[in-house]
Amino acid sequence: MSFFWITAQEIIAPIIVLIAIGAILHRAFRFDMNTLSKLILYFFVPSIAFVKIYEASLSPMLLVQVVGFLLLQFVLLLLLTETIGKLFSFSRGFRASFTNSVVLTNNGNIGIPVNDLAFRHDPLAMSIQIVVVVFEILVTFTFGLLKASAATKGLSASIRHFFRLPVLYAILLGLLLNLAQLDIPAMIWTPAKHAADGMLAIALVSIGAQIASVSLKKQTWLVLVSGMLRLAVSPLIAFGVISILGLEGITAQALFIASAIPTSRNSASLALEYGNEPEFAAQAVLVSTLLSTVTLTLCITLSSQLFPS
């Protein structure tokens, strides 16, 4: 019980506070949501992608194991959400937002502090979490972006748009500098770090602003279905994949916890940018974040019991 309250107070509560601040500020000043969305997509996201990839320290074996798990889990969740979308005849735009709300997670801003708290600064656990974060960045701004933009722009236009986004080149540059082990001058690294550190606040404030401008009663049952898939079904799938791959100990625990992280705020940013049911996307982020105060704590507790180190 004490661990539940520590997680809720130190990890989830600050996130809810920032979302609430965004809602209050938007009510008072009426932000330009289009400008806010572009600021996140074209400045803050490339900054955090570059910094996280450059800082990652990975062994080849760990990388193969973790990426194998993440790919298999991603494919299974994608098949599940696409099947649900076809069964319920979702529109193309809604299917894009629904799928992104399930397959894209907030493993950077929520997953990293959760990992740090759950494993008490264990370097192996954090290395695994960094791999997860890099994978999420790549999936978000390849699959997630193309899924969101193709619903309104078409596939060929979406591909052209993707190659104009700075996040792609930020990822490649960070990877090249990491592999080459080159030092970055302070005049570049310091502002990049400041921008990456500001990502959490600006992203969550923007979600709060989105939520303040829409009704939270729309598509309630679909929001709950999305939350259930992200917070309950995803860990069940993760358990199966971990068992199939024979992963054990801290590696299995860290991946199991990462699978229970709530919906990425980037899914809401993409929905807003491309006009794919932004009300649903914002609600999915909020509801999954709120519900994760319970589900994530349960998964942290279960991880050590299911996969003893």
Side-chain angles (χ1 to χ4, degrees), residues 50 54 172-184:
F50 173 76
Y54 177 75
L172 292 175
L173 180 60
L175 183 61
L176 287 173
L177 292 175
N178 182 309
L179 293 174
Q181 297 184 333
L182 295 176
D183 292 331
I184 300 175

Side-chain angles (χ1 to χ4, degrees), residues 143-167:
F143 170 83
L145 174 66
L146 292 174
K147 184 74 173 174
S149 59
T152 55
K153 292 179 177 292
L155 182 58
S156 60
S158 299
I159 293 173
R160 290 195 300 271
H161 179 68
F162 171 69
F163 282 104
R164 291 198 297 266
L165 287 175
V167 67

Side-chain angles (χ1 to χ4, degrees), residues 116-269:
D116 200 42
L117 174 63
F119 294 98
R120 303 180 186 277
H121 317 292
D122 185 280
L124 173 60
M126 185 53 66
S127 295
I128 293 166
Q129 185 62 32
I130 293 299
V131 177
V132 175
V133 171
V134 171
F135 180 86
E136 289 292 343
I137 291 171
L138 290 170
V139 168
T140 298
F141 294 100
T142 53
F143 170 83
L145 174 66
L146 292 174
K147 184 74 173 174
S149 59
T152 55
K153 292 179 177 292
L155 182 58
S156 60
S158 299
I159 293 173
R160 290 195 300 271
H161 179 68
F162 171 69
F163 282 104
R164 291 198 297 266
L165 287 175
V167 67
L168 171 65
Y169 306 101
I171 290 170
L172 292 175
L173 180 60
L175 183 61
L176 287 173
L177 292 175
N178 182 309
L179 293 174
Q181 297 184 333
L182 295 176
D183 292 331
I184 300 175
M187 64 179 294
I188 296 175
W189 181 247
T190 299
K193 278 285 290 180
H194 286 327
D197 292 341
M199 176 66 187
L200 171 60
I202 192 68
L204 294 177
V205 166
S206 72
I207 291 171
Q210 275 184 261
I211 291 168
S213 61
V214 300
S215 170
L216 293 179
K217 295 183 179 179
K218 291 182 179 180
Q219 305 158 326
T220 303
W221 77 275
L222 289 172
V223 171
L224 292 175
V225 169
S226 167
M228 180 188 71
L229 292 174
R230 171 89 301 276
L231 301 174
V233 176
S234 178
L236 289 175
I237 291 175
F239 175 78
V241 175
I242 289 169
S243 300
I244 291 171
L245 296 179
L247 303 177
E248 300 176 339
I250 289 178
T251 300
Q253 292 174 25
L255 291 174
F256 183 72
I257 293 170
S259 73
I261 297 297
T263 300
S264 171
R265 81 276 181 212
N266 287 322
S267 65
S269 297

